[in-house]
Amino acid sequence: MRVIILGSGGYHPNNERHTLCLVLPEAGLILDAGTAFFRLADYLDQRRWDVFLTHTHLDHIIGLTYYWSLTRQTKLGEMVVHGLEEKLEAVRTHLFADPLFPKMPPYRFEPLDGHPRFLLERTGWPSTEIRYFPLDHPGGSIGYRFDWSDRSLAYVTDTTARAAASYLPHIRGVDLLLHECHFPTGCEDLAAKTGHVTRAQVERVASEAGAKRLVLLHRNPIEDDRSSQTSDAAGTDSPSLVAHDGLVVEF
Ligand SMILES: [Zn+2]
Ligand SMILES: [Zn+2]
């Protein structure tokens, strides 16, 4: 199975990175809808695709407004958007408010609330067990874990990651952990103030959770890939990889 990092950045795009949008072409799943959402044109088809939103900060949802462009490039089937009820309501009433956007796309919004662990079964796709759990971030965010019969993936973005982070049990032993890493090691104060993490923090959490592989996402748009972010590895057994747009991770 593959996960393709269509956009690896956080907050706003820069010349190298769009904001978060990931696609699992063999599972029919899309994670978040940042500015890289337009790149889904190469993957979508007339089957049902499911989008899982972590929260509704604009860098994670603005791409939902690109629907009409996608539908001109490829024939789309049903698109189901999942998230907490209050977040989906915010998308409907604010992102797609008349003064902001001309025409609401035909998404089906499906609130997650009350089902912290459930099975997603759809024709033509492998059945997927899905868990979601709260993260520590201004306004709230949620992480996801996806389990199939023979592999697992966790997606954790827009969160702090203090020692013994509350979400740790949910990602324990996961095959692939996709985790935000907005700040380089040494910016712990700034990370705590803004609800994000540093590389040292995320590598420690990944190691504590026994994640088999770690890919770092939601990169600060003003950080240079070639400088601090890639050179400050915190010393951990978890092999980690800094994502770039277009990165394909087999797991
Ligand atoms: Zn973000
Ligand atoms: Zn956020």
Side-chain angles (χ1 to χ4, degrees), residues 33 55-62 87 137-141 158 194 196:
H55 64 313
T56 42
H57 285 160
L58 289 170
D59 53 329
H60 298 256
I61 61 164
I62 189 71
K87 305 297 187 193
H137 188 63
S141 179
D158 293 57
T194 56
H196 289 290

